[in-house]
Amino acid sequence: MILFKSFIGIAVVALFTLLGYKKSSKYKSNKVLWAETDKINTAMINNQLMKKDSVLKVLEEFDSEVAEQLTNRVKGEPFDADFCEQLKDDYSQMEAYALALGSGNSAEQMSLYTNFGGFIKEKLQKAKTEEEKYSTLCVKTGFLIGLMVFILII
């Protein structure tokens, strides 16, 4: 009987730890979103200074969800619902950025990239801080809850 309870307890600890890990993935994906956006914005600045390729051509160089969503938005399609959910409060900033891509003269574009670049850097720093703070907290909390249930089972 004790062996059966031990197996069940170990499974419960593993389950709660996995749930904590899943909860922490939200913070990791938020960091990835802003890191990709930063890379795209930097490429847009470099393109504006050097190559002068079209916005769509620059976005095609990236294989990420952010680039795909920006490409769709530049073409006039709306952002996906999942992408909007991930952006939450920053949806209006990203929408304005996507709609302004490729419109206006060179000086206006550089101003857009520079201003939005500051916003991106701020969000990326915040996302990194939140990931460091909360991702391990979620996993450890899940493990501890699982351990408490394991103790109650035994």
Side-chain angles (χ1 to χ4, degrees):
M1 187 67 176
I2 191 83
L3 188 60
F4 177 71
K5 287 182 178 181
S6 296
F7 284 133
I8 296 297
I10 290 170
V12 166
V13 170
L15 175 71
F16 277 98
T17 304
L18 181 65
L19 290 174
Y21 179 76
K22 290 287 187 187
K23 176 76 175 161
S24 73
S25 68
K26 173 180 84 169
Y27 299 105
K28 292 176 184 172
S29 66
N30 194 31
K31 184 182 89 170
V32 168
L33 176 126
W34 292 111
E36 286 296 321
T37 307
D38 186 43
K39 287 179 190 174
I40 290 169
N41 194 60
T42 302
M44 291 293 184
I45 291 171
N46 291 338
N47 178 60
Q48 194 68 31
L49 293 173
M50 305 291 182
K51 295 192 241 176
K52 307 278 190 208
D53 287 337
S54 73
V55 170
L56 292 175
K57 189 171 183 182
V58 174
L59 288 172
E60 286 175 0
E61 294 174 9
F62 292 92
D63 185 30
S64 68
E65 181 187 8
V66 177
E68 180 183 328
Q69 294 298 322
L70 287 173
T71 301
N72 291 342
R73 194 65 191 114
V74 167
K75 290 178 179 177
E77 301 169 14
F79 288 138
D80 288 346
D82 293 337
F83 189 68
C84 293
E85 178 64 30
Q86 192 175 7
L87 286 172
K88 293 182 184 168
D89 298 335
D90 304 317
Y91 173 80
S92 60
Q93 293 343 56
M94 189 67 86
E95 177 84 5
Y97 177 71
L99 292 175
L101 285 175
S103 63
N105 61 27
S106 182
E108 290 172 347
Q109 287 295 298
M110 282 305 291
S111 175
L112 169 72
Y113 300 144
T114 305
N115 292 339
F116 195 67
F119 172 76
I120 294 169
K121 298 281 188 210
E122 178 183 307
K123 286 296 185 180
L124 180 58
Q125 187 59 40
K126 181 180 175 189
K128 285 179 180 178
T129 304
E130 283 182 349
E131 185 205 12
E132 290 171 4
K133 191 185 306 180
Y134 296 121
S135 65
T136 56
L137 178 68
C138 291
V139 174
K140 288 177 183 178
T141 302
F143 176 76
L144 289 175
I145 291 171
L147 197 57
M148 286 182 352
V149 172
F150 175 70
I151 291 170
L152 290 174
I153 289 174
I154 290 183

